[in-house]
Amino acid sequence: MTGNIALSIADSTSTGPGPPFPADAPNVLMIVLDDLGFAQAGCYGSDIDTPNLDRLAQRGVRFTNFHTTAICSPTRACLLTGRNHHRVGMGLVPDLPLNFPGYTGEFPRAAGTLAHVLRDQGWATRAVGKWHLVPWDQRDSGPFHMWPSGLGFERYYGFLNAETNQWTPNLVRDHDHIEPPASPDEGYHLDADLADQAIAQLRQLRQNRPHQPFFLYYATGAPHAPHHAPTEWVDRYRGRFDAGWDAWREQTLARAQDLGVVPADVELSERPPWVEAWDDIDDERRRLYARIMEVYAGFVSHTDHHIGRVLDHLESTGELDETIVMVISDNGASPEGGPHGTWNVMRQYVKTQDREPIADEFAHIHELGGHRAYNHYPWGWAWAGNTPFRRWKRYTFEGGVRDPLIVSWPGCPDPGATRDQYCHVTDLMPTVLDLLGITPPATLDGTEQMTLDGVSLGEVLADPDAAETRTTQYYECWGSRAMYADGWKAVTNHVSQFHPDEMELIVGSHDFATDEWELFDTRSDFTESSNLAEQRPDKLAELVALWEAEAERNQVLPLNDRAPRANAEHMRMPWLSFRTVHHLRPGDKVHELSGPMIFGRCRITAGFDGGVAANASGVLFEQGDWVNGWALFLHDGHLHLAVNLHGSEHRLAAPITAGRDLVAVDLSLDDDRLLVELRDGGEPLTTGTFTIGGPMGPWASDGAFLTVGYARHFPVSDLYQPPAPAPSNFTGLVFDTAPAPEFDFEAELRRAMRHQ
């Protein structure tokens, strides 16, 4: 960089630094959809309208033999690092990272990401949407090495968890938790917001750097549950699915065969016994199941529309033709709504009781997709969404791991064509680098890099008749295992413990020691319908041995099929700190990781400078909402504690005396009962018992914030309307989760008023 340095600058010479980025280099746009099945986009045979995915397919090629890991975070880890997920510590979702190398939820520094490589090569790197690669104990305020900024992205806007309420998401901008820019009543929806942010960031880049290439990672929260969409998008599908999932599979297969994404001689895999035949379902349930699928279809089309807005922006600037675009789904369609679907999927995630009555679902049919619902479709639609394959998300049968992949790039030789070669999500990072002419670096930031597991698909993109560049791949997801090698595939019949309905109804093994392996010749058996294990024990033994070798190389063991909460004895959460006392002031917004956790007893005291006014109203604290949450609030001079467990509200209220400086609540959690006592000053007011049917929390799947002195978006109880500010003389709260002593009014008042 320097030339000759002399005593004076006048006598010194220098050479310039050279261009900071390559001239005329393509941009990269990577679109990641969540839980979209193989057959749920129009260009793969669906009757769900996806005109923007279809137009990308017409500009590029569709892969018919692309594979993922069967679940979200591991697929994203493979996508961004080019390495197998267990090998980089993301063997499962990072919501409960474990003390085993394949499951820490943290990438080793030797596993540099595509964003890191491209940033160092001069690309502007931006990430928008779902992340879900941060260990649970690092999501409140860092450390940030697994946040987008720590993995090569210069800007980020989105949400860190597996899912979020599309109407009221918990958002992050760069390193800060923020509120959405508008309310649901003002028409806010996350799909639109993500597109707005992506376009705004691209416009800002071009205003300052008109020629710098960019890498935009655009990861929608859709169509993962909750399935939320504006009514006008849902109603366009009214009646579309009345014929049911059996007929829909047949029609979809025919369309897929016409499009060439499924061979013409393929027949549907059999309907498994745990999925009801549509003809055997009564009319009332058919109406429910069809409506909840209409909501899902509207959600998919709404998402596609906003993807189209980003594409339109690039087209209007003339950059779409200069951009490598990849669209993937991270796994097969999701069965997590159970056999009947649910208006509130949080009940499925934390279920500790019997299946909810179907009458509850009928009662909420008119709320599906809207502000009061958190819905997910029945697993019959997930099975259909993966037509023509077996099974669904979290299983290593093709229905879990075979997913859409669309690639559009400058110079595509045969727009609108298909590619049938076998490939895996780890192949996408090396493919992008190959198309950009970048050699994977040996070191990043001084750290020697691990070898890539992926191989470039460049030859396959250039030539539809090219030989497969990948010939083997292992799979493991929640105990389900598979091994692919040269067209042969071995798969276990293992059923995970993730979902009670699956444990009860799906036929298979629940014990690794008794798991059976099935064997398929995938080149002649597209749908894994003919098990050849008995005819070819030699081939099966070869593949099982190969899986065991790959498991050793990639840190797959120990196998884990438990529900997340069952792994607590192995949890790896060094950044999680427990406190028994929390002093909170009006205006505080506390992440669930940093706030009070109720395991047994709790005392909550609230102070007022000068005493409570007659008929006072307002929220003292709120966490969650009417789908799932709890709140302490004043309403017309009464103190109310409301607990809304999965849509069922429990509330205890009592009048308080005007002029009191202190109100309090004592809680005692005993199995599925919550004992509540409300206090006015130091005097007991009333007691009650809530039968809550399980633990208090998690209040939201995206990390519910506790707010003090105000409500956020949707209320826990309809007795107040957000923001419902607390009285101006409210001084704050004390949460004490230690064993509660006898009530000492003076001591409690001092604690509640400590900030005055």
Side-chain angles (χ1 to χ4, degrees):
M1 182 174 176
T2 58
N4 179 54
I5 299 177
L7 178 64
S8 128
I9 194 171
D11 298 323
S12 301
T13 60
S14 69
T15 57
F21 48 81
D24 301 322
N27 307 308
V28 179
L29 170 59
M30 195 168 278
I31 300 171
V32 183
L33 294 159
D34 200 347
D35 289 2
L36 186 81
F38 182 85
Q40 290 180 327
C43 52
Y44 279 83
S46 178
D47 63 346
I48 299 174
D49 301 324
T50 56
N52 294 293
L53 298 184
D54 300 350
R55 84 180 190 184
L56 284 174
Q58 288 305 309
R59 298 175 68 97
V61 299
R62 285 157 294 165
F63 280 77
T64 67
N65 207 356
F66 169 71
H67 293 77
T68 62
T69 69
I71 199 167
C72 49
S73 303
T75 290
R76 292 156 204 266
C78 294
L79 176 65
L80 288 171
T81 70
R83 286 106 177 168
N84 288 324
H85 50 305
H86 296 90
R87 193 167 168 232
V88 296
M90 201 65 65
L92 205 50
V93 293
D95 300 81
L96 191 65
L98 304 175
N99 295 317
F100 301 103
Y103 302 91
T104 62
E106 299 187 52
F107 297 164
R109 292 182 62 193
T113 66
L114 177 61
H116 193 163
V117 174
L118 293 184
R119 184 194 64 191
D120 285 3
Q121 293 287 327
W123 270 254
T125 55
R126 305 289 187 264
V128 172
K130 173 174 171 173
W131 188 242
H132 204 200
L133 291 171
V134 181
W136 188 68
D137 61 326
Q138 300 174 25
R139 294 177 189 173
D140 51 355
S141 56
F144 300 109
H145 60 284
M146 285 300 294
W147 289 45
S149 62
L151 294 174
F153 289 102
E154 297 161 314
R155 297 298 308 275
Y156 173 63
Y157 183 93
F159 61 99
L160 297 180
N161 287 47
E163 67 186 53
T164 193
N165 192 310
Q166 298 284 316
W167 306 112
T168 61
N170 283 333
L171 293 171
V172 168
R173 186 186 296 278
D174 300 326
H175 291 162
D176 298 322
H177 291 275
I178 62 169
E179 293 294 339
S183 71
D185 289 339
E186 294 170 324
Y188 179 89
H189 191 285
L190 180 61
D191 273 340
D193 190 16
L194 295 182
D196 289 345
Q197 293 296 326
I199 293 167
Q201 291 197 23
L202 294 178
R203 291 191 71 251
Q204 182 187 52
L205 176 66
R206 285 295 167 255
Q207 288 166 0
N208 297 292
R209 298 281 186 272
H211 305 297
Q212 184 182 10
F214 64 78
F215 170 34
L216 173 61
Y217 178 81
Y218 185 93
T220 70
H224 193 292
H227 302 158
H228 285 154
T231 302
E232 61 270 23
W233 285 87
V234 174
D235 284 349
R236 65 179 60 185
Y237 286 100
R238 190 172 292 278
R240 181 83 64 91
F241 305 103
D242 287 357
W245 44 65
D246 292 306
W248 193 88
R249 287 185 87 219
E250 294 174 359
Q251 296 160 5
T252 299
L253 175 61
R255 288 189 295 263
Q257 290 171 325
D258 289 343
L259 290 169
V261 294
V262 172
D265 60 349
V266 164
E267 296 182 358
L268 289 171
S269 59
E270 291 185 2
R271 178 177 49 78
W274 53 88
V275 174
E276 284 187 274
W278 191 261
D279 288 346
D280 294 340
I281 299 172
D282 60 80
D283 289 344
E284 190 172 23
R285 285 194 295 135
R286 286 185 188 180
R287 181 172 63 91
L288 172 67
Y289 298 166
R291 181 57 179 172
I292 204 166
M293 182 59 190
E294 292 167 8
V295 173
Y296 178 81
F299 190 26
V300 171
S301 291
H302 183 254
T303 301
D304 177 88
H305 167 74
H306 289 290
I307 290 172
R309 292 177 52 221
V310 178
L311 299 178
D312 289 345
H313 170 75
L314 291 175
E315 197 155 42
S316 71
T317 63
E319 292 196 77
L320 189 56
D321 288 335
E322 303 167 0
T323 301
I324 300 166
V325 183
M326 291 183 169
V327 182
I328 76 164
S329 176
D330 58 3
N331 46 248
S334 169
E336 287 152 13
H340 301 296
T342 175
W343 74 273
N344 183 356
V345 75
M346 285 294 296
R347 301 172 75 168
Q348 303 285 346
Y349 295 158
V350 299
K351 188 191 301 181
T352 58
Q353 56 186 6
D354 292 338
R355 191 176 298 118
E356 60 267 20
I358 191 69
D360 286 0
E361 308 304 334
F362 295 139
H364 292 277
I365 190 170
H366 299 297
E367 298 171 357
L368 295 172
H371 294 177
R372 286 184 175 268
Y374 206 84
N375 46 282
H376 196 305
Y377 58 16
W379 66 23
W381 288 118
W383 167 67
N386 297 320
T387 298
F389 304 118
R390 295 174 61 182
R391 212 66 66 91
W392 41 53
K393 175 181 176 181
R394 288 182 285 102
Y395 290 89
T396 57
F397 289 98
E398 293 293 277
V401 299
R402 195 157 176 162
D403 300 301
L405 166 64
I406 303 168
V407 183
S408 170
W409 75 102
C412 174
D414 50 352
T418 60
R419 296 290 186 270
D420 302 325
Q421 292 88 340
Y422 180 89
C423 56
H424 187 259
V425 63
T426 52
D427 300 332
L428 299 189
M429 175 178 172
T431 300
V432 170
L433 295 180
D434 187 12
L435 292 176
L436 296 177
I438 297 173
T439 300
T443 62
L444 281 174
D445 292 344
T447 300
E448 184 176 348
Q449 294 295 287
M450 301 162 58
T451 56
L452 296 179
D453 292 307
V455 293
S456 173
L457 300 173
E459 294 181 5
V460 172
L461 290 175
D463 179 4
D465 297 320
E468 290 181 343
T469 55
R470 168 176 292 282
T471 58
T472 64
Q473 179 61 40
Y474 85 94
Y475 297 89
E476 190 280 332
C477 182
W478 238 300
S480 179
R481 289 154 283 156
M483 187 71 218
Y484 173 88
D486 295 316
W488 290 92
K489 184 180 175 187
V491 192
T492 63
N493 68 342
H494 193 83
V495 180
S496 80
Q497 301 178 36
F498 178 86
H499 197 294
D501 289 319
E502 293 186 10
M503 290 177 63
E504 177 185 344
L505 299 175
I506 291 181
V507 177
S509 169
H510 296 87
D511 186 341
F512 295 124
T514 59
D515 286 351
E516 295 179 358
W517 288 82
E518 300 180 21
L519 178 68
F520 306 100
D521 179 357
T522 65
R523 289 182 176 148
S524 61
D525 182 7
F526 194 77
T527 58
E528 299 175 322
S529 297
S530 180
N531 179 11
L532 303 177
E534 292 186 4
Q535 292 93 318
R536 290 297 307 274
D538 56 329
K539 178 58 70 173
L540 179 61
E542 176 188 327
L543 263 63
V544 171
L546 184 55
W547 185 91
E548 291 171 348
E550 286 294 282
E552 177 69 21
R553 185 178 76 86
N554 288 282
Q555 309 177 145
V556 175
L557 301 181
L559 294 175
N560 176 19
D561 66 348
R562 298 177 179 179
R565 285 180 296 158
N567 291 296
E569 77 272 24
H570 298 300
M571 73 177 184
R572 177 189 175 90
M573 295 191 182
W575 293 95
L576 191 63
S577 58
F578 291 99
R579 285 176 287 171
T580 58
V581 180
H582 294 75
H583 293 269
L584 303 175
R585 303 182 66 175
D588 283 348
K589 175 183 172 184
V590 185
H591 194 281
E592 68 176 4
L593 294 174
S594 307
M597 297 185 181
I598 314 302
F599 294 109
R601 300 179 65 89
C602 179
R603 173 170 292 162
I604 307 166
T605 56
F608 298 86
D609 186 13
V612 181
N615 297 319
S617 294
V619 167
L620 304 182
F621 82 82
E622 178 195 75
Q623 190 170 21
D625 57 29
W626 50 28
V627 171
N628 205 41
W630 67 321
L632 183 66
F633 61 97
L634 302 171
H635 178 69
D636 290 340
H638 285 63
L639 179 65
H640 298 253
L641 179 76
V643 178
N644 207 322
L645 263 295
H646 319 313
S648 299
E649 183 179 344
H650 308 264
R651 185 162 46 85
L652 185 66
I656 54 176
T657 305
R660 292 290 197 190
D661 295 310
L662 183 75
V663 297
V665 182
D666 276 353
L667 305 175
S668 179
L669 187 61
D670 179 19
D671 292 330
D672 63 352
R673 297 186 308 150
L674 180 67
L675 310 180
V676 184
E677 181 177 68
L678 304 183
R679 289 179 175 270
D680 180 14
E683 301 300 319
L685 279 174
T686 187
T687 61
T689 300
F690 300 164
T691 302
I692 60 176
M696 288 180 62
W699 297 113
S701 56
D702 59 353
F705 283 89
L706 186 146
T707 57
V708 181
Y710 70 99
R712 291 184 67 207
H713 304 294
F714 295 149
V716 172
S717 171
D718 285 323
L719 285 180
Y720 66 87
Q721 292 300 312
S728 59
N729 66 336
F730 170 53
T731 62
L733 295 168
V734 179
F735 281 79
D736 191 339
T737 58
E742 290 298 317
F743 199 92
D744 183 333
F745 174 77
E746 293 298 332
E748 295 296 338
L749 182 60
R750 286 194 298 273
R751 291 207 298 173
M753 304 289 286
R754 62 178 291 185
H755 294 298
Q756 290 302 107

